[in-house]
Coordinates of all heavy atoms in Angstrom, one line a residue:
I12 N -46.5 76.5 11.6 CA -46.4 75.5 10.5 C -45.1 75.7 9.7 O -44.7 76.8 9.4 CB -47.6 75.7 9.5 CG1 -47.6 74.7 8.4 CG2 -47.7 77.1 9.0 CD1 -48.9 74.6 7.6
D13 N -44.4 74.6 9.5 CA -43.1 74.7 8.8 C -42.2 75.7 9.5 O -41.4 76.4 8.8 CB -43.3 75.0 7.3 CG -44.1 74.0 6.6 OD1 -44.0 72.8 7.0 OD2 -44.8 74.3 5.6
G14 N -42.2 75.7 10.8 CA -41.4 76.6 11.5 C -41.8 78.1 11.5 O -41.1 78.9 12.1
F15 N -42.9 78.4 10.9 CA -43.4 79.8 10.8 C -44.6 80.0 11.7 O -45.5 79.2 11.7 CB -43.7 80.1 9.3 CG -44.2 81.5 9.1 CD1 -43.3 82.5 9.0 CD2 -45.6 81.8 9.0 CE1 -43.7 83.8 8.8 CE2 -46.0 83.1 8.8 CZ -45.1 84.1 8.7
D16 N -44.6 81.1 12.4 CA -45.7 81.5 13.3 C -46.6 82.4 12.5 O -46.3 83.5 12.2 CB -45.1 82.2 14.5 CG -46.2 82.4 15.6 OD1 -47.4 82.5 15.3 OD2 -45.8 82.5 16.8
V17 N -47.8 81.8 12.3 CA -48.8 82.6 11.4 C -49.4 83.8 12.1 O -50.0 84.6 11.5 CB -49.9 81.7 11.0 CG1 -49.4 80.5 10.2 CG2 -50.8 81.1 12.2
R18 N -49.1 84.0 13.4 CA -49.6 85.1 14.1 C -48.8 86.4 13.9 O -49.1 87.5 14.2 CB -49.6 84.8 15.6 CG -50.5 83.7 16.0 CD -50.4 83.3 17.5 NE -49.0 82.8 17.7 CZ -48.5 82.4 18.9 NH1 -49.4 82.4 20.0 NH2 -47.3 82.0 19.1
N19 N -47.6 86.2 13.2 CA -46.7 87.3 13.0 C -46.7 87.9 11.6 O -47.5 87.4 10.7 CB -45.3 86.8 13.3 CG -44.4 87.9 14.0 OD1 -44.6 89.1 13.8 ND2 -43.5 87.4 14.9
Y20 N -46.0 88.9 11.4 CA -45.8 89.5 10.0 C -45.3 88.5 9.0 O -44.6 87.5 9.4 CB -44.9 90.7 10.1 CG -45.5 92.0 10.7 CD1 -44.7 92.6 11.7 CD2 -46.7 92.5 10.4 CE1 -45.2 93.8 12.3 CE2 -47.2 93.6 10.9 CZ -46.4 94.3 11.9 OH -46.9 95.4 12.5
G21 N -45.5 88.8 7.7 CA -44.8 88.0 6.7 C -45.7 87.3 5.8 O -47.0 87.2 6.0
E22 N -45.2 86.7 4.8 CA -45.9 85.9 3.8 C -47.0 86.7 3.1 O -48.2 86.4 3.1 CB -46.5 84.6 4.4 CG -45.4 83.7 5.0 CD -44.6 83.0 4.0 OE1 -44.9 83.1 2.8 OE2 -43.6 82.3 4.4
L23 N -46.6 87.8 2.4 CA -47.6 88.7 1.7 C -48.4 87.9 0.8 O -49.7 88.2 0.7 CB -46.8 89.8 1.0 CG -47.6 90.7 0.0 CD1 -48.7 91.4 0.8 CD2 -46.7 91.6 -0.7
T24 N -47.9 87.0 0.0 CA -48.7 86.3 -1.0 C -49.5 85.1 -0.4 O -50.2 84.5 -1.2 CB -47.7 85.7 -2.1 OG1 -46.8 84.8 -1.5 CG2 -47.0 86.9 -2.8
G25 N -49.4 84.8 0.9 CA -50.1 83.8 1.5 C -49.3 82.6 1.9 O -48.2 82.4 1.5
L26 N -49.8 81.8 2.8 CA -49.2 80.6 3.3 C -49.0 79.6 2.2 O -49.9 79.4 1.4 CB -49.9 79.9 4.4 CG -50.0 80.7 5.7 CD1 -50.9 79.9 6.7 CD2 -48.7 81.0 6.3
P27 N -47.8 79.0 2.1 CA -47.6 77.9 1.0 C -48.7 76.8 1.1 O -49.2 76.4 0.0 CB -46.3 77.4 1.4 CG -45.5 78.5 2.0 CD -46.6 79.2 2.8
C28 N -49.1 76.4 2.3 CA -50.2 75.4 2.4 C -51.5 75.8 1.8 O -52.3 75.0 1.3 CB -50.3 74.9 3.8 SG -50.8 76.1 5.0
A29 N -51.8 77.1 2.0 CA -53.0 77.7 1.4 C -53.0 77.7 -0.1 O -54.0 77.5 -0.8 CB -53.3 79.1 2.0
K30 N -51.8 78.0 -0.6 CA -51.6 78.0 -2.1 C -51.8 76.6 -2.7 O -52.4 76.4 -3.7 CB -50.2 78.6 -2.5 CG -50.0 80.0 -2.1 CD -48.6 80.4 -2.5 CE -48.3 81.9 -2.0 NZ -47.0 82.3 -2.4
V31 N -51.3 75.6 -2.0 CA -51.4 74.2 -2.4 C -52.9 73.8 -2.4 O -53.4 73.2 -3.3 CB -50.6 73.3 -1.5 CG1 -51.0 71.8 -1.7 CG2 -49.1 73.5 -1.7
F32 N -53.6 74.2 -1.3 CA -55.1 73.9 -1.2 C -55.8 74.5 -2.4 O -56.6 73.8 -3.1 CB -55.6 74.4 0.1 CG -57.1 74.3 0.2 CD1 -57.7 73.0 0.4 CD2 -58.0 75.4 0.0 CE1 -59.1 72.9 0.5 CE2 -59.3 75.3 0.0 CZ -59.9 74.0 0.3
F33 N -55.7 75.8 -2.6 CA -56.5 76.5 -3.7 C -56.0 76.0 -5.1 O -56.8 75.9 -6.0 CB -56.4 78.0 -3.6 CG -57.3 78.6 -2.6 CD1 -56.9 79.1 -1.4 CD2 -58.7 78.6 -2.9 CE1 -57.8 79.6 -0.5 CE2 -59.6 79.1 -2.0 CZ -59.2 79.7 -0.8
A34 N -54.7 75.7 -5.3 CA -54.3 75.2 -6.6 C -55.0 73.9 -6.9 O -55.4 73.7 -8.0 CB -52.8 75.1 -6.5
E35 N -55.1 73.0 -5.9 CA -55.8 71.8 -6.1 C -57.3 72.0 -6.5 O -57.8 71.4 -7.4 CB -55.7 70.8 -4.9 CG -56.3 69.5 -5.2 CD -56.4 68.6 -4.0 OE1 -56.2 69.1 -2.9 OE2 -56.7 67.4 -4.2
L36 N -57.9 73.0 -5.8 CA -59.3 73.3 -6.0 C -59.5 73.8 -7.4 O -60.5 73.4 -8.1 CB -59.7 74.3 -5.0 CG -61.2 74.3 -4.5 CD1 -61.5 73.1 -3.8 CD2 -61.4 75.5 -3.6
L37 N -58.6 74.7 -7.9 CA -58.9 75.3 -9.2 C -58.2 74.6 -10.3 O -58.5 74.9 -11.5 CB -58.3 76.8 -9.1 CG -59.0 77.7 -8.1 CD1 -58.3 79.1 -8.1 CD2 -60.5 77.8 -8.3
G38 N -57.2 73.7 -10.0 CA -56.5 73.0 -11.1 C -55.3 73.7 -11.6 O -54.7 73.3 -12.6
C39 N -54.9 74.8 -10.9 CA -53.7 75.6 -11.4 C -52.5 75.2 -10.5 O -52.5 74.1 -9.9 CB -54.0 77.1 -11.3 SG -54.3 77.7 -9.6
K40 N -51.4 76.0 -10.5 CA -50.2 75.7 -9.8 C -50.1 76.5 -8.5 O -50.6 77.7 -8.5 CB -49.0 75.9 -10.7 CG -49.0 75.2 -12.0 CD -47.8 75.6 -12.9 CE -47.8 74.9 -14.2 NZ -46.7 75.3 -15.1
P41 N -49.5 76.0 -7.5 CA -49.4 76.8 -6.2 C -48.7 78.2 -6.4 O -49.1 79.2 -5.8 CB -48.6 75.9 -5.3 CG -48.9 74.5 -5.8 CD -49.0 74.6 -7.2
E42 N -47.7 78.2 -7.3 CA -47.0 79.5 -7.5 C -47.8 80.5 -8.3 O -47.4 81.6 -8.5 CB -45.7 79.2 -8.2 CG -45.8 78.5 -9.6 CD -45.7 77.0 -9.6 OE1 -46.1 76.4 -8.5 OE2 -45.2 76.4 -10.6
E43 N -49.0 80.0 -8.8 CA -49.9 80.9 -9.5 C -51.0 81.5 -8.6 O -51.9 82.2 -9.1 CB -50.6 80.2 -10.7 CG -49.6 79.8 -11.8 CD -50.2 78.9 -12.8 OE1 -51.1 78.1 -12.5 OE2 -49.9 79.1 -14.0
C44 N -50.9 81.3 -7.3 CA -51.9 81.7 -6.3 C -51.4 82.8 -5.4 O -50.3 82.7 -4.8 CB -52.4 80.5 -5.5 SG -53.3 79.2 -6.5
F45 N -52.3 83.8 -5.2 CA -52.1 84.8 -4.2 C -53.2 84.7 -3.3 O -54.4 84.8 -3.7 CB -52.0 86.2 -4.9 CG -51.8 87.3 -3.9 CD1 -50.6 87.9 -3.8 CD2 -52.9 87.8 -3.1 CE1 -50.4 89.0 -2.9 CE2 -52.7 88.9 -2.3 CZ -51.5 89.5 -2.1
I46 N -53.0 84.5 -2.0 CA -54.1 84.3 -1.0 C -54.4 85.6 -0.3 O -53.5 86.3 0.2 CB -53.6 83.3 0.1 CG1 -53.1 82.0 -0.6 CG2 -54.8 82.9 0.9 CD1 -54.0 81.3 -1.6
G47 N -55.7 85.9 -0.3 CA -56.2 87.2 0.3 C -57.0 87.0 1.5 O -57.0 86.0 2.2
G48 N -57.8 88.0 1.8 CA -58.7 88.0 2.9 C -60.0 87.3 2.7 O -60.0 86.4 1.9
N49 N -61.1 87.8 3.3 CA -62.3 87.0 3.3 C -63.1 87.1 2.0 O -63.9 86.3 1.6 CB -63.2 87.4 4.4 CG -63.9 88.7 4.2 OD1 -63.2 89.8 4.2 ND2 -65.2 88.8 4.1
A50 N -62.8 88.2 1.1 CA -63.6 88.5 0.0 C -62.9 88.5 -1.3 O -61.9 89.3 -1.5 CB -64.3 89.8 0.2
S51 N -63.2 87.7 -2.2 CA -62.6 87.7 -3.6 C -63.0 89.0 -4.3 O -62.2 89.5 -5.1 CB -63.0 86.5 -4.4 OG -64.4 86.4 -4.5
L52 N -64.1 89.6 -3.9 CA -64.5 90.9 -4.5 C -63.5 91.9 -4.3 O -63.2 92.8 -5.1 CB -65.9 91.3 -4.0 CG -66.5 92.6 -4.6 CD1 -66.7 92.4 -6.1 CD2 -67.7 93.0 -3.9
T53 N -62.9 91.9 -3.1 CA -61.8 92.9 -2.7 C -60.6 92.7 -3.7 O -60.1 93.7 -4.2 CB -61.4 92.7 -1.3 OG1 -62.5 92.8 -0.4 CG2 -60.3 93.7 -0.9

């Protein structure tokens, strides 16, 4: 996606497209999102 291979290292804060998705869901801004693993509890 966007020339980046998601199978590799990198993007500690999460994929830009994932930030856009969650920002729309929550009503905040993509730059305010950090994307994690399966559990928000973590």
